Amino acid sequence: MKKAFAISIFVLVALFFSCKSNDDVKLPDCPNCNFTCLAEGESDVSTNECPNNWQCQFNLLKDSKIEYANDEHSGSASIKEGDKLVFELTLETEGSAMVADDELKKSLYFEVDALQESFSVEGDDLNLLNLRYQNACYCFDTRFNQPSSGCMQGQKIDETHWRVQGNLEIPLNNSSLPFKFDATFTL
């Protein structure tokens, strides 16, 4: 009887810990990250705290590289085997159940040398990151676009985490879209 009770307690404890959500996971701090791309209190910044009705991913991929394919109105990104560290940011929503075709997926891809532990680029140097942004929606232009201007800074926190901040201006059709983020990317 005591053995069965002990096993029951063990199973309950194991179930409790296996059911923890990702919300309970604490991302590491970056005490040496003195980023300057965003001002204190800046609005409309995408972070690891994902808004309701959105799915947010901030992934790192080792030993990889990015290849892009664009046609007149759409594009794709392929992550292949390579010698870079690839960063993949994806923000996705199904939108409102009451509105047709309001689904949206924002994607940002870039890469750095696998041995780097930090970076800081702006303006034309953003091209060094092989950086592209895409709005995938029911809209005219869903190509991967290079930012027309901006700033990005990143620092390795540990072997599985990088903190990255960006403030980018993305050309879309005949206008531009600001895209700001400050997040921890995870392997």
Side-chain angles (χ1 to χ4, degrees):
M1 179 75 168
K2 289 181 184 179
K3 188 176 183 179
F5 179 73
I7 291 172
S8 297
I9 294 295
F10 176 76
V11 168
L12 286 174
V13 169
L15 282 173
F16 173 77
F17 284 107
S18 68
C19 292
K20 286 180 76 173
S21 71
N22 285 341
D23 296 337
D24 298 332
V25 176
K26 173 97 169 83
L27 292 171
D29 291 328
C30 189
N32 298 322
C33 293
N34 296 316
F35 296 148
T36 58
C37 289
L38 296 171
E40 183 79 26
E42 190 120 13
S43 63
D44 296 325
V45 177
S46 298
T47 68
N48 294 96
E49 294 180 26
C50 198
N52 289 335
N53 196 29
W54 284 81
Q55 295 176 352
C56 304
Q57 295 181 14
F58 301 90
N59 299 319
L60 288 172
L61 301 139
K62 280 185 170 181
D63 302 321
S64 301
K65 68 178 180 178
I66 311 167
E67 291 181 3
Y68 299 103
N70 273 335
D71 65 21
E72 187 177 348
H73 300 291
S74 65
S76 64
S78 300
I79 299 174
K80 309 230 178 199
E81 189 175 318
D83 62 350
K84 304 283 186 186
L85 179 63
V86 171
F87 295 74
E88 175 187 41
L89 180 159
T90 306
L91 310 172
E92 189 169 12
T93 183
E94 291 295 319
S96 170
M98 306 301 285
V99 178
D101 300 335
D102 68 335
E103 298 86 1
L104 174 63
K105 180 178 179 182
K106 301 176 183 184
S107 300
L108 182 80
Y109 294 93
F110 62 97
E111 61 191 17
V112 299
D113 184 276
L115 300 177
Q116 279 187 254
E117 296 200 357
S118 66
F119 66 88
S120 181
V121 294
E122 58 184 279
D124 290 340
D125 287 342
L126 288 166
N127 294 331
L128 299 172
L129 298 174
N130 194 18
L131 170 67
R132 301 288 191 286
Y133 174 89
Q134 179 190 42
N135 258 352
C137 55
Y138 288 100
C139 47
F140 181 70
D141 186 355
T142 61
R143 288 176 293 167
F144 279 92
N145 294 295
Q146 291 179 293
S148 57
S149 63
C151 170
M152 278 184 54
Q153 298 166 322
Q155 184 172 334
K156 182 178 181 178
I157 300 172
D158 58 32
E159 291 306 312
T160 58
H161 298 91
W162 272 72
R163 169 107 178 271
V164 181
Q165 184 180 94
N167 188 353
L168 305 169
E169 198 67 31
I170 311 296
L172 292 176
N173 298 325
N174 296 324
S175 64
S176 64
L177 168 78
F179 184 69
K180 299 178 271 190
F181 66 96
D182 190 347
T184 300
F185 289 71
T186 306
L187 273 177

